[in-house]
Amino acid sequence: MLYTIEKKTDSEIKIKRSRFVAVLYPLPYVEEVKDILNEHYRLFSDATHNCYAYIHGLNREIIYYSDAGEPTGTAGKPILNTLLRNDLTNILAVVSRYFGGIKLGVKGLIAAYSEAVEQAILKSNLIEAKLLISFPLVCDYASFEYLKHSFQAIGGEIKQVIWSEEVSFILNLPAEQEKEFRKIIDGNKHKIRLNYQ
């Protein structure tokens, strides 16, 4: 069984005056990587390095890592290997290093990046990784509150709400709830529709 994390978690370790801040982000959709990284870089713009790795998919179909300026193989790969070793997926791990003036060497860097991620995982609340699906939807104003509560009751999450003549939004929910989702929208034929443009 593969796991992911319930919410963003961070942890910090210090090794020979260098600080390593590991931040774990849940990654239900791989398309979110760029936005999460941009926000992380903004928050940790003063870090010497922001190295990362991510895994996505119930079969870990997507795997990527970056050393971000550290010597090849000393940061991104150890971060990735720590995630793999802990049976994680749908997760992005970023470790921001603040150089303390003492070089750690190849083995020291590998150990430090691995340990930083390991500590953050220990602080995380792990949950079973599930396949999520997305639906772009449109409804009238009167139906939105009812639909929002109905979707939340089956584990759905509403994103990117746009209020215009109607309300358009993205619904993300566990794939096993698709049948319940269809029941909800079939019961509201004139009030909600899929918004495939």
Side-chain angles (χ1 to χ4, degrees):
M1 184 186 294
L2 292 177
Y3 299 90
T4 188
I5 55 170
E6 190 173 47
K7 62 184 180 188
K8 177 181 165 184
T9 312
D10 61 75
S11 181
E12 181 179 323
I13 62 171
K14 286 183 184 169
I15 297 173
K16 292 184 179 175
R17 298 211 304 254
S18 276
R19 287 171 54 222
F20 293 84
V21 182
V23 186
L24 306 180
Y25 298 91
L27 190 66
Y29 302 96
V30 75
E31 296 80 12
E32 296 175 344
V33 167
K34 193 175 175 186
D35 289 342
I36 295 170
L37 284 173
N38 285 339
E39 177 63 11
H40 185 94
Y41 296 156
R42 190 183 66 75
L43 293 171
F44 293 87
S45 59
D46 57 340
T48 315
H49 300 280
N50 286 296
C51 309
Y52 65 91
Y54 61 86
I55 306 172
H56 192 270
L58 293 188
N59 296 306
R60 293 170 161 171
E61 301 90 327
I62 299 170
I63 290 178
Y64 187 85
Y65 63 89
S66 169
D67 292 311
E70 290 281 35
T72 303
T74 62
K77 195 80 185 277
I79 294 169
L80 175 65
N81 287 338
T82 306
L83 298 177
L84 292 169
R85 198 167 51 248
N86 283 277
D87 298 322
L88 292 168
T89 190
N90 294 359
I91 188 168
L92 165 64
V94 189
V95 180
S96 298
R97 179 191 182 192
Y98 293 85
F99 183 55
I102 300 171
K103 290 189 175 181
L104 302 181
V106 170
K107 284 185 179 174
L109 285 171
I110 291 170
Y113 279 101
S114 300
E115 180 63 20
V117 175
E118 196 70 56
Q119 290 304 314
I121 292 169
L122 287 171
K123 282 179 68 179
S124 299
N125 186 22
L126 301 183
I127 55 173
E128 183 184 345
K130 294 186 176 182
L131 179 65
L132 296 177
I133 49 178
S134 279
F135 297 98
L137 298 165
V138 175
C139 69
D140 59 25
Y141 276 67
S143 306
F144 182 70
E145 279 304 312
Y146 163 76
L147 290 165
K148 185 168 89 169
H149 292 298
S150 299
F151 293 144
Q152 285 171 343
I154 60 169
E157 185 182 15
I158 289 175
K159 299 260 193 179
Q160 299 174 29
V161 180
I162 299 169
W163 305 87
S164 55
E165 291 92 37
E166 297 178 291
V167 186
S168 61
F169 57 95
I170 304 289
L171 172 69
N172 300 326
L173 79 160
E176 70 262 23
Q177 293 289 9
E178 185 171 3
K179 199 172 175 182
E180 293 303 313
F181 162 74
R182 297 283 175 194
K183 279 186 199 168
I184 292 168
I185 64 167
D186 288 347
N188 286 272
K189 277 183 182 156
H190 303 294
K191 298 174 186 171
I192 185 168
R193 66 184 189 279
L194 287 163
N195 187 26
Y196 292 115
Q197 292 176 342

